[in-house]
Amino acid sequence: MHGRPRKAPKPEDEAASSAKAQKLRALQTQFFSFHHNKIYTKEAVELSAKLLEINPESYTAWNYRKLAVEHYLNLPDCNPDSIKSVLDDELRVVENALRQNFKSYGAWHHRKWVLSKGHSSIDNELRLLDKFQKADSRNFHAWNYRRFVAESMKRSEQDELKYTEDMIYANFSNYSAWHNRSVLLSALFDKKAEGFLLKEKVLPEEYEFIHQAIFTDPDDQSGWFYHLWLLDQTVTTDSPLLASSWPGHGSDVLLVGDRCYNGSAFSPFSALHSDSGSFPIVLYFNQPVRGVNSSTVTVECGFNKNEDLLWKPLSASNSQTARVWVAHLKVSSSDLHSTVEVSVGHTKGIISTRGFEYSHPSMLSFKVHVQPMERDSSQVSVAESISLREENFKVYGKQSEESIIDSFDQLIIKNGHETTASNWRFEALAKEIECFRELLSLVDCKIGKLTLARLLKAYDAMSYPFANKLVHSEEVLELYSDLMKLDRTHYQFYKDERSIVLLQKYKDSVSSAICGPICLRLNNLSLSRMGAFEKLLWVQMLDLSHNELQSIEGLEAMQLLSCLSLRNNKLRSLTALEPLRKLKLLRILDISYNQIGDHSIDTTRYVCSSPLSHSVGSELNRDETVTSDVALINNWEAFYIFKDFNLNQLDIVGNTIADEKFKSVLVKIMPKLKQLDGKLLD
Amino acid sequence: MDDIPPYPPIDPTTFDLIVIGTGLPESIIAAASSTASKSVLHLDPYPFYGSHFSSLPLADLPSFLSSHSTSPSPPRSPSSDDPNEFSLLEFATRPLYSSIDISTFSPNLLDQHSRKFNLDVAGPRVFFCADKSIELLLRTGTNQYMEFKSVDATFVGDNKGNLWSVPDSRAAIFKDKSLGLVEKNKLMRFFKLVQGHLAGEQDIKISEEDLQSPFVDFLNKMGLPPKIKSFILYAIAMADYDQEDTGVCRDLLKTKDGIDQLALYNASIGRFQNASGAFLYPIYGQGELSQAFCRRAAVKGCLYVLRMPVTALLVDKDTGCYKGVRLASGQDIFSQKLILDPTFKVTLPSGSSPPLPLKEKLPFFSLKDDKGKIARGICITKTSLKPDISNFLVVYPPRSLFPEQVTSIRLLQIASNLAVCLPGMFVLYISALCNDDDQGKKLIHAVMNTLLTVPLDSESNAAVQSETAENGSAVQDETSESSSGGPSDSGEEKPTLLWSALYSQELTLGQVDFICSTPMPDGKLNYNDLIDTTFKIFQEIYPGEEFFPETSLENPEGDGDASPET
């Protein structure tokens, strides 16, 4: 069934298949005439059965049979016996068709449809399934149908679990069986069924079970998939948690009216330029959630309850689910000092994608100080071109370095209530780590290395808030470097993963990279992907130049960014800049020396639904006056990306796309732009 | 044998070939020669087929064994008073079984149902689903005369009575509860290496140097732990002697041969859809195999006369050449060629050159050292050694039962669903290679004491039943006492012995010379070596003839028939 090479057809086979095709064509012609004329006589229905027996893929024939069944069931002289005989006929036709091709979608679907009529005995179905699953134990159609049958029969999940076990014992190389196991266990966990109340009791047994498969044959991938599911079950807490926020709890925020920060007594991390007197509040959850709004999250500023505060999800797709949520709080200019209290989850309604309620209400409070405007900000921006050159990253005093490092984690929210509950998770991970170290001592195994890296990462992430150190990061980096060498096909994937680990352990190397109070320099690190955003919410000026970034997914979380350099990276398309659209404070952007325009086909278009999804398209159409411009229509991607930007300065030189014509389009899209590629604009 | 039936004279009186004895090699040769259009007369002094390969009713087994255990009768001098131009050369018989020890603990039950039993004289023996005997059965269409069932599992036993399942496949390794994760990984990697090597994959080739080295060294080199090594050597490659003690090992397995054994085992698993294990066993016992080839021969015109002993050879007076045989009925039958079963020993007339042993004449002869013996035991019990499974093989690797154990002991349990015993009963066949009878007894008793409860009040029975082996019962008593001292560690009730037969069998080789004689059943688990030998004997007598030519296929679609009944 599996792993057998396909043989080239012999001449006699080809002759047979062309004879079959001839017969099929004749049948089909006749069938279509019956179908179009709505003829449901016995002969006509039998003809369709004959057709389906030869070609079970004929969807039209299945649909015709459905119509015929409905036709018979609606006859006035219809009685329970005749209904049964009509439906039994259907089951027989399906069975014959499945015998011809047991992977026929149409046939399986038709069977479900007949069964759902509720007149046929379901007990037969398990017998039929046993036959099919014996013939091909991995046939996912059969497994899928089995779930349907088990549910209709109200067969217990425990019985089905036993069945998957038997199938796995017969041959553990069975994706379908492992998958069904994960589905069944999830259901049992959700139900809190007896014996499945505590994950910490069930998961170790499952780990033990999967180890048998993985150690016996590490090359077989089916077991690894199940292991990945177990790992997820171990690591992911059911209810979502708040991971970090800006402003951090207990911090002081200084709102200054102009860009020239003049060294006040406040922590440099929380000084923010604000023209409008408003500032963003960013909530970063550990998993995507929905339902963040002014009733689930209350923001009190003095006596102001801010009930009209609008929370927006920050996600690449325009869904209402996101890990990061932002709201813009306006401070009244009369209050120079005020205390803001944000309480999250005191009212129910924040729910994770997996359906779990946010259940650990937390409270953040911080102080906001407003420094009145001293100079006209627009004047400054025009006069000086702000760039990320070396001199702008002033080396911060040595003596205060320690405090910088400490405050680096100030945004992280420690969820103390999780410690005791997580003990078993630590133990499970520690055990797995030991287990896979052993495996790797026996065999050189790519997926084993990847799994170990994942385990170590998960262990570090779980212990981080308490241990304050990523103990395994060096080992993880080494594993990914190894994998990049061993498995060139997935080089980019490993590099991306490695980049994120590199960023996570950033704290350890921060002293050399952090140069200014609100500036972060992450250049020349060979990063191919950005990560660790939950720690970087405070950054206002970010230098990512001279890396290998192809995507800046997730950057939308950094709401305070006003100045960003992506110079000398590997961005390949304008749509890759999508996350930047959500950064309302971004004024200065350097995307020079990338690969935008090198590749005529922007593959992200097809991979990600986001930039060109229908919702986006409709948004575009509203602005008809602009889209009527021919130049803009031809550059509608640029229009879509840049039209929402409030940029003062843009560097785009060194990209194939950036010819004079394109630049003139950009100027048209962004009328506020003051400087393009170092040249002042009128 | 005492009353020779009044047979009508055999007609014709001249054949191309006379075969005496219906053991497996004789039967195959009879079938092959008939297929090659030779006229063949096949004789057997017994009323049943199979000779030393037969399956016998319970009551007949002891008498068959003892009839072959008497010391050789001194050959009478060639009678010179024969009126013909032939001199008569009387046969001497060779003692083939010794230390026969029959014990009955449930006389009534077993005696009344003697015919319900089909006990293999040459057990334990199985077919590997992909071995030469199955190929031969399929090729010759002989499978149509037999039905098989699967032997479901192989276990390795220890001295505490535990039976450990042998992780012989990917699924079995996965399922195994006794192996650690590291062991599982090492074993599976070893299997993959072997599979890759056999499939001729370029990057996983076992070097020629390794192939020529001892298999046990190669396993060590692969870093396999002792437990797994023992599984591979003795329960999969079926090595006979302790491979790690070169002092006692008479058949040090080379890696090449070890790999071939693994390949055979691997090809056997899953060959037939309804055989779950690697082995098959024929319904009604192993004696069916010889009988099936006799039928095959009869279809091709071979003439069969059972219950017909042969009393003497007819030899040309002048040349000393073989001419024919004299039957017990007094009739003289002539043929070009003669095949004798190993019972007979021919004393040559003085002056003629002594026959060369087959081994020297055919250096490729693969039978084991003919000086050794094989100890066999047959036990009948009412309970299976392992619950929920009825037909299985157990291997006790060297040193697993006691330190001086130098050979593997194999045990095959067959249940009544193979029509070898009364419903609800089990037959255990045990065998081990040994140097002498005492050593052999010790080996068989060691297994029996580990696995079975031997009733103590059996002295009288045992004494009555053991007619020939005087010291056999003494050994029996001694060991059963020692076993009664310590309760079994497994905690489960051990099956109680109802009946047992212990005996030692000579490992007589065949010979090819003046007269060809066939070998005795060897110490192997399957028939591979015997079939090789038989083929060589056939080639020796009919050098130009093909051994079952392809065209002789009568039943080309017979492939599925070899698969066991469900």
Side-chain angles (χ1 to χ4, degrees):
Chain A
M1 217 64 66
H2 297 279
R4 289 182 204 169
R6 197 185 285 266
K7 283 187 209 124
K10 291 185 207 125
E12 57 261 39
D13 295 340
E14 277 180 35
S17 80
S18 76
K20 189 179 156 190
Q22 195 125 36
K23 196 176 158 201
L24 205 60
R25 263 193 289 276
L27 268 175
Q28 222 150 15
T29 319
Q30 210 178 346
F31 161 72
F32 279 124
S33 91
F34 285 138
H35 183 32
H36 292 149
N37 298 316
K38 297 193 170 54
I39 297 170
Y40 302 118
T41 59
K42 203 156 178 269
E43 302 78 62
V45 172
E46 259 163 32
L47 184 96
S48 72
K50 222 156 135 197
L51 177 65
L52 285 168
E53 237 160 82
I54 304 171
N55 177 20
E57 306 311 312
S58 175
Y59 284 44
T60 316
W62 289 118
N63 286 334
Y64 166 79
R65 288 195 74 89
K66 289 189 184 80
L67 291 172
V69 169
E70 297 289 5
H71 168 78
Y72 279 113
L73 297 188
N74 289 331
L75 287 181
D77 60 341
C78 171
N79 59 53
D81 283 345
S82 69
I83 292 175
K84 196 171 170 343
S85 100
V86 166
L87 293 177
D88 281 354
D89 245 21
E90 292 307 303
L91 292 178
R92 191 181 45 74
V93 171
V94 172
E95 202 174 327
N96 287 340
L98 286 175
R99 220 166 262 143
Q100 177 72 25
N101 176 10
F102 56 69
K103 292 193 171 171
S104 162
Y105 284 87
W108 285 108
H109 182 263
H110 193 68
R111 201 168 183 89
K112 263 192 195 175
W113 181 82
V114 174
L115 263 285
S116 66
K117 292 268 154 200
H119 295 287
S120 320
S121 140
I122 195 109
D123 298 335
N124 262 332
E125 300 307 292
L126 271 192
R127 271 194 291 279
L128 182 81
L129 272 173
D130 278 340
K131 220 161 67 190
F132 280 114
Q133 286 181 295
K134 205 167 225 173
D136 178 2
S137 60
R138 310 208 286 201
N139 182 358
F140 71 87
H141 297 266
W143 281 93
N144 204 14
Y145 187 63
R146 188 178 183 91
R147 281 190 284 276
F148 165 77
V149 171
E151 197 183 332
S152 319
M153 286 177 73
K154 308 236 176 326
R155 210 172 121 89
S156 77
E157 275 94 357
Q158 283 90 337
D159 286 352
E160 283 295 289
L161 204 62
K162 177 79 186 53
Y163 179 80
T164 65
E165 209 163 296
D166 293 345
M167 294 299 278
I168 288 166
Y169 273 134
N171 181 3
F172 64 83
S173 177
N174 190 332
Y175 296 87
S176 302
W178 288 114
H179 172 247
N180 203 37
R181 200 168 174 82
S182 68
V183 170
L184 291 166
L185 281 175
S186 299
L188 286 164
F189 287 145
D190 284 352
K191 272 188 183 172
K192 303 206 185 301
E194 201 183 331
F196 296 89
L197 199 59
L198 293 172
K199 272 190 185 174
E200 57 258 55
K201 292 272 186 298
V202 180
L203 292 182
E205 281 170 30
E206 292 303 306
Y207 273 122
E208 182 62 33
F209 192 36
I210 196 64
H211 289 161
Q212 310 304 317
I214 287 174
F215 272 76
T216 302
D217 192 355
D219 296 340
D220 187 87
Q221 292 181 27
S222 62
W224 291 103
F225 274 86
Y226 188 63
H227 189 268
L228 199 57
W229 180 79
L230 286 179
L231 179 60
D232 181 58
Q233 290 295 307
T234 311
V235 170
T236 316
T237 50
D238 286 342
S239 51
L241 293 170
L242 196 57
S244 74
S245 69
W246 195 90
H249 180 59
S251 62
D252 290 314
V253 178
L254 175 67
L255 288 182
V256 290
D258 64 62
R259 200 164 295 279
C260 293
Y261 169 66
N262 55 4
S264 79
F266 299 111
S267 159
F269 279 89
S270 40
L272 177 70
H273 162 75
S274 169
D275 291 333
S276 55
S278 76
F279 66 96
I281 301 176
V282 182
L283 297 179
Y284 201 104
F285 293 89
N286 70 342
Q287 48 187 302
V289 294
R290 60 187 155 85
V292 175
N293 53 45
S294 58
S295 71
T296 51
V297 179
T298 58
V299 179
E300 290 186 31
C301 181
F303 296 107
N304 190 351
K305 296 256 191 279
N306 292 297
E307 270 155 10
D308 54 346
L309 201 63
L310 187 63
W311 286 96
K312 283 187 196 156
L314 292 174
S315 66
S317 61
N318 280 345
S319 75
Q320 286 304 303
T321 309
R323 285 171 74 125
V324 197
W325 289 76
V326 66
H328 290 271
L329 185 68
K330 200 170 173 83
V331 193
S332 77
S333 50
S334 55
D335 293 332
L336 291 183
H337 302 278
S338 52
T339 301
V340 180
E341 294 201 328
V342 182
S343 71
V344 183
H346 287 89
T347 315
K348 286 196 167 187
I350 302 176
I351 294 162
S352 76
T353 39
R354 297 198 308 164
F356 290 100
E357 183 89 28
Y358 181 87
S359 57
H360 301 293
S362 39
M363 169 81 85
L364 307 164
S365 79
F366 50 86
K367 289 191 181 115
V368 180
H369 311 274
V370 181
Q371 193 177 68
M373 216 176 276
E374 286 173 0
R375 275 194 279 170
D376 182 5
S377 63
S378 57
Q379 237 174 3
V380 178
S381 320
V382 173
E384 300 172 38
S385 112
I386 297 176
S387 66
L388 288 156
R389 312 236 186 273
E390 198 58 54
E391 59 274 17
N392 284 11
F393 284 87
K394 297 180 198 81
V395 176
Y396 205 71
K398 254 231 152 75
Q399 63 278 18
S400 52
E401 222 169 66
E402 280 302 307
S403 69
I404 294 168
I405 295 164
D406 287 341
S407 45
F408 213 76
D409 283 324
Q410 66 181 0
L411 308 182
I412 302 298
I413 291 161
K414 299 186 184 186
N415 291 288
H417 39 76
E418 275 291 303
T419 6
T420 46
S422 291
N423 273 348
W424 71 270
R425 299 177 198 271
F426 274 115
E427 277 163 31
L429 285 179
K431 227 169 156 183
E432 287 308 288
I433 289 168
E434 195 186 333
C435 192
F436 284 99
R437 285 209 170 118
E438 185 160 38
L439 180 72
L440 290 175
S441 75
L442 295 169
V443 280
D444 202 29
C445 161
K446 285 179 285 190
I447 193 151
K449 284 190 172 158
L450 179 60
T451 302
L452 181 61
R454 281 174 173 156
L455 285 165
L456 293 169
K457 247 166 65 183
Y459 187 86
D460 277 0
M462 208 180 270
S463 57
Y464 182 67
F466 316 108
N468 244 6
K469 191 163 165 40
L470 299 174
V471 256
H472 296 113
S473 52
E474 284 307 324
E475 191 179 350
V476 176
L477 288 175
E478 204 169 303
L479 282 167
Y480 280 124
S481 305
D482 236 23
L483 282 166
M484 282 157 65
K485 271 181 246 144
L486 276 173
D487 183 5
R488 300 301 293 187
T489 343
H490 302 106
Y491 178 86
Q492 197 56 44
F493 170 75
Y494 300 129
K495 193 167 171 61
D496 287 358
E497 294 294 303
R498 191 175 183 280
S499 298
I500 289 172
V501 179
L502 211 59
L503 286 165
Q504 287 288 356
K505 72 162 240 178
Y506 184 73
K507 180 177 165 289
D508 295 339
S509 56
V510 69
S511 46
S512 61
I514 186 156
C515 302
I518 47 175
C519 310
L520 181 64
R521 171 154 279 182
L522 293 171
N523 56 359
N524 263 320
L525 291 171
S526 302
L527 298 178
S528 66
R529 213 181 134 180
M530 264 302 280
F533 297 109
E534 73 275 14
K535 293 183 190 172
L536 304 176
L537 299 180
W538 52 271
V539 178
Q540 295 182 31
M541 200 183 271
L542 178 63
D543 182 5
L544 285 169
S545 61
H546 297 276
N547 280 301
E548 293 165 35
L549 295 173
Q550 294 189 3
S551 150
I552 49 173
E553 217 182 303
L555 207 72
E556 66 272 9
M558 300 172 73
Q559 284 290 309
L560 271 54
L561 271 190
S562 62
C563 181
L564 172 67
S565 172
L566 290 164
R567 192 187 179 85
N568 269 308
N569 273 285
K570 291 186 173 169
L571 298 174
R572 294 155 69 113
S573 67
L574 288 174
T575 47
L577 302 175
E578 161 97 18
L580 304 182
R581 293 179 63 221
K582 304 245 162 69
L583 302 180
K584 299 298 171 205
L585 299 180
L586 191 65
R587 295 292 174 270
I588 298 158
L589 176 65
D590 186 350
I591 49 170
S592 56
Y593 303 102
N594 273 278
Q595 301 172 358
I596 301 170
D598 277 9
H599 309 272
S600 54
I601 294 167
D602 172 9
T603 46
T604 52
R605 265 195 206 182
Y606 309 108
V607 177
C608 313
S609 62
S610 62
L612 298 172
S613 64
H614 295 301
S615 59
V616 172
S618 58
E619 184 186 334
L620 206 62
N621 287 340
R622 261 183 270 132
D623 217 342
E624 271 176 36
T625 48
V626 186
T627 45
S628 60
D629 190 318
V630 178
L632 291 187
I633 288 171
N634 290 340
N635 294 287
W636 61 271
E637 266 169 335
F639 172 72
Y640 162 64
I641 293 292
F642 288 108
K643 76 179 167 70
D644 292 335
F645 281 13
N646 287 315
L647 293 183
N648 292 335
Q649 252 175 261
L650 175 67
D651 287 273
I652 198 168
V653 71
N655 288 290
T656 313
I657 198 171
D659 53 15
E660 285 311 314
K661 204 172 147 203
F662 183 76
K663 283 186 190 174
S664 69
V665 173
L666 285 181
V667 174
K668 214 179 267 179
I669 297 170
M670 294 179 286
K672 289 188 196 161
L673 198 64
K674 299 200 172 61
Q675 199 173 320
L676 184 59
D677 285 335
K679 285 191 196 111
L680 286 178
L681 300 167
D682 304 326
Chain B
M1 270 195 302
D2 300 330
D3 49 334
I4 294 150
Y7 268 114
I10 294 167
D11 180 48
T13 55
T14 307
F15 291 86
D16 292 331
L17 172 69
I18 294 174
V19 181
I20 299 169
T22 53
L24 182 66
E26 301 96 275
S27 304
I28 293 174
I29 289 170
S33 306
S34 309
T35 305
S37 305
K38 307 291 176 193
S39 60
V40 183
L41 174 66
H42 202 168
L43 301 167
D44 197 300
Y46 290 96
F48 51 83
Y49 291 92
S51 304
H52 306 287
F53 292 82
S54 59
S55 301
L56 297 175
L58 187 82
D60 297 358
L61 183 86
S63 57
F64 177 80
L65 293 175
S66 48
S67 73
H68 287 284
S69 66
T70 43
S71 26
S73 52
R76 275 175 268 162
S77 53
S79 35
S80 49
D81 57 336
D82 198 274
N84 299 320
E85 65 270 39
F86 307 112
S87 52
L88 280 180
L89 210 53
E90 293 233 0
F91 286 116
T93 52
R94 214 192 295 256
L96 292 170
Y97 302 107
S98 54
S99 293
I100 302 168
D101 177 3
I102 313 288
S103 309
T104 307
F105 305 97
S106 177
N108 299 334
L109 182 70
L110 295 171
D111 285 355
Q112 285 162 17
H113 303 282
S114 163
R115 300 245 146 234
K116 293 269 169 63
F117 289 88
N118 288 298
L119 302 179
D120 298 346
V121 178
R125 211 170 275 274
V126 294
F127 296 83
F128 285 62
C129 293
D131 72 8
K132 285 177 183 162
S133 50
I134 293 290
E135 295 313 324
L136 189 62
L137 282 171
L138 292 174
R139 197 152 60 84
T140 59
T142 313
N143 58 307
Q144 61 185 305
Y145 307 120
M146 298 178 78
E147 280 182 278
F148 297 92
K149 273 192 202 296
S150 168
V151 174
D152 296 314
T154 309
F155 300 98
V156 164
D158 64 18
N159 58 3
K160 302 204 174 56
N162 299 311
L163 301 179
W164 305 98
S165 60
V166 173
D168 51 9
S169 66
R170 196 163 169 271
I173 295 173
F174 171 70
K175 223 186 294 187
D176 196 284
K177 297 253 191 306
S178 65
L179 291 178
L181 290 174
V182 175
E183 290 173 315
K184 288 189 176 196
N185 183 264
K186 286 186 170 169
L187 181 55
M188 189 62 211
R189 259 190 301 147
F190 176 72
F191 281 169
K192 277 193 173 177
L193 171 73
V194 173
Q195 273 163 7
H197 172 77
L198 291 168
E201 284 171 36
Q202 272 307 312
D203 44 339
I204 30 181
K205 199 127 189 81
I206 300 170
S207 74
E208 193 53 35
E209 190 192 338
D210 280 335
L211 288 175
Q212 294 306 327
S213 70
F215 195 33
V216 63
D217 293 352
F218 182 66
L219 297 180
N220 284 330
K221 191 174 155 189
M222 292 292 112
L224 295 175
K227 188 161 89 182
I228 290 178
K229 241 170 25 192
S230 162
F231 280 157
I232 293 174
L233 285 170
Y234 306 110
I236 297 178
M238 303 293 172
D240 291 316
Y241 284 92
D242 191 343
Q243 301 290 309
E244 290 180 89
D245 184 347
T246 42
V248 297
C249 184
R250 296 201 207 160
D251 67 340
L252 190 65
L253 209 56
K254 273 189 194 167
T255 303
K256 187 178 169 305
D257 301 325
I259 300 280
D260 286 346
Q261 283 293 315
L262 292 188
L264 171 62
Y265 196 97
N266 187 45
S268 294
I269 289 178
R271 173 166 189 199
F272 301 116
Q273 256 210 323
N274 36 5
S276 55
F279 311 128
L280 297 177
Y281 188 89
I283 297 178
Y284 303 114
Q286 291 288 352
E288 290 295 294
L289 183 60
S290 306
Q291 194 170 335
F293 276 103
C294 290
R295 282 200 188 195
R296 179 71 171 67
V299 167
K300 288 290 177 184
C302 176
L303 185 63
Y304 275 86
V305 182
L306 297 188
R307 280 183 250 224
M308 182 59 81
V310 176
T311 55
L313 280 187
L314 304 174
V315 180
D316 191 292
K317 261 185 185 141
D318 304 325
T319 61
C321 284
Y322 161 78
K323 283 292 168 196
V325 295
R326 174 160 295 173
L327 306 181
S329 63
Q331 195 181 7
D332 289 345
I333 308 281
F334 304 95
S335 70
Q336 311 248 302
K337 307 272 182 181
L338 176 71
I339 299 280
L340 284 176
D341 85 11
T343 316
F344 301 101
K345 205 152 120 181
V346 180
T347 317
L348 290 176
S350 49
S352 60
S353 58
L356 284 168
L358 185 55
K359 192 161 60 171
E360 279 164 48
K361 176 143 185 174
L362 301 170
F364 43 77
F365 229 59
S366 63
L367 282 186
K368 288 284 154 296
D369 192 332
D370 56 344
K371 285 191 205 78
K373 288 191 171 194
I374 179 157
R376 298 194 193 272
I378 305 173
C379 300
I380 296 171
T381 65
K382 253 186 170 163
T383 15
S384 172
L385 293 175
K386 208 167 168 64
D388 307 328
I389 175 161
S390 38
N391 302 316
F392 58 85
L393 180 76
V394 182
V395 177
Y396 285 92
R399 285 178 282 115
S400 63
L401 288 174
F402 54 93
E404 301 81 36
Q405 179 198 348
V406 297
T407 53
S408 305
I409 310 172
R410 301 191 193 105
L411 179 149
L412 179 68
Q413 175 177 296
I414 298 294
S416 55
N417 66 347
L418 280 156
V420 296
C421 57
L422 278 174
M425 288 196 181
F426 299 87
V427 183
L428 314 179
Y429 295 103
I430 312 169
S431 76
L433 292 175
C434 57
N435 291 324
D436 54 55
D437 291 4
D438 287 349
Q439 195 191 25
K441 277 275 143 60
K442 197 176 170 194
L443 290 164
I444 305 294
H445 278 303
V447 172
M448 287 171 65
N449 292 332
T450 309
L451 294 174
L452 302 171
T453 307
V454 183
L456 281 173
D457 55 344
S458 64
E459 288 92 329
S460 58
N461 282 325
V464 170
Q465 292 292 323
S466 57
E467 295 159 6
T468 47
E470 290 81 11
N471 55 356
S473 56
V475 175
Q476 160 93 40
D477 291 344
E478 202 179 287
T479 42
S480 53
E481 263 166 46
S482 67
S483 81
S484 64
S488 105
D489 290 9
S490 58
E492 282 169 35
E493 193 79 6
K494 291 200 261 183
T496 305
L497 185 63
L498 298 179
W499 184 90
S500 69
L502 274 62
Y503 51 99
S504 292
Q505 180 217 298
E506 302 290 327
L507 286 171
T508 315
L509 290 177
Q511 72 180 32
V512 173
D513 196 62
F514 167 71
I515 304 291
C516 293
S517 65
T518 52
M520 280 295 279
D522 59 11
K524 296 292 182 189
L525 192 59
N526 67 0
Y527 293 105
N528 266 11
D529 288 357
L530 281 163
I531 286 176
D532 284 347
T533 311
T534 305
F535 171 63
K536 277 154 198 166
I537 294 174
F538 177 80
Q539 277 189 321
E540 189 65 24
I541 58 169
Y542 292 122
E545 294 291 344
E546 210 179 322
F547 187 65
F548 294 112
E550 272 323 315
T551 48
S552 76
L553 253 184
E554 290 170 341
N555 187 8
E557 76 278 27
D559 208 87
D561 295 359
S563 61
E565 297 273 291
T566 37

